[in-house]
Amino acid sequence: MKIYLIDKYRKNTKLIKALEESGITNIEQKEDINYRINKTDIVISTDAEVDYDGYQKINNLIILTKTNEKNQIWNMANKLNTKDIIQIKSNNDGYIAERIKKCIGEIKKWNE
């Protein structure tokens, strides 16, 4: 199982550091989703609200979003196979990292 962070503009380096501090290692940072992903791989995306088509094939998707629009969040939850949608309101990378860590732990239990 691999963990990918899709971040087109590489703005989330602080989040990667926070994830590594919380115990999640071997995170690969990618600019887009145009590569092979296995069923058990976990994808953390900051760009999923833009491109639903590319993300529909992913089984374990965690979305980080800044939107407050209910319809857009509803579409992400229902059109994609999301395990969690985390709304980013401030630069609280520690909270986001702990929530992602908890979600990854649950995904690992489901895959066993």
Side-chain angles (χ1 to χ4, degrees):
M1 173 174 57
K2 293 183 181 179
I3 300 171
Y4 298 103
L5 175 67
I6 309 299
D7 186 14
K8 185 174 185 175
Y9 302 109
R10 299 198 184 261
K11 293 181 181 178
N12 293 307
T13 55
K14 291 181 184 178
L15 178 61
I16 292 175
K17 289 178 186 176
L19 286 168
E20 289 173 349
E21 288 174 1
S22 69
I24 300 170
T25 57
N26 299 328
I27 301 169
E28 292 187 35
Q29 192 171 10
K30 303 284 186 177
E31 291 182 7
D32 57 24
I33 196 151
N34 297 330
Y35 54 93
R36 184 176 174 96
I37 298 174
N38 294 326
K39 270 181 115 171
T40 58
D41 292 345
I42 298 170
V43 176
I44 303 165
S45 177
T46 59
D47 303 325
E49 58 198 44
V50 177
D51 179 27
Y52 289 140
D53 294 335
Y55 289 97
Q56 288 180 338
K57 298 176 184 177
I58 299 172
N59 289 333
N60 300 315
L61 179 63
I62 300 171
I63 298 176
L64 305 177
T65 183
K66 291 183 181 180
T67 186
N68 286 335
E69 189 177 329
K70 292 178 185 179
N71 290 334
Q72 203 169 21
I73 292 172
W74 187 87
N75 284 334
M76 284 186 268
N78 289 303
K79 291 183 178 180
L80 304 174
N81 192 8
T82 56
K83 299 300 180 192
D84 199 359
I85 299 174
I86 303 171
Q87 189 174 24
I88 304 171
K89 292 185 178 181
S90 64
N91 291 333
N92 192 355
D93 294 323
Y95 166 74
I96 295 169
E98 287 300 317
R99 191 159 159 186
I100 290 172
K101 180 180 176 181
K102 181 180 176 186
C103 189
I104 289 173
E106 291 173 5
I107 291 170
K108 285 181 180 179
K109 287 179 187 176
W110 294 330
N111 288 335
E112 291 178 351

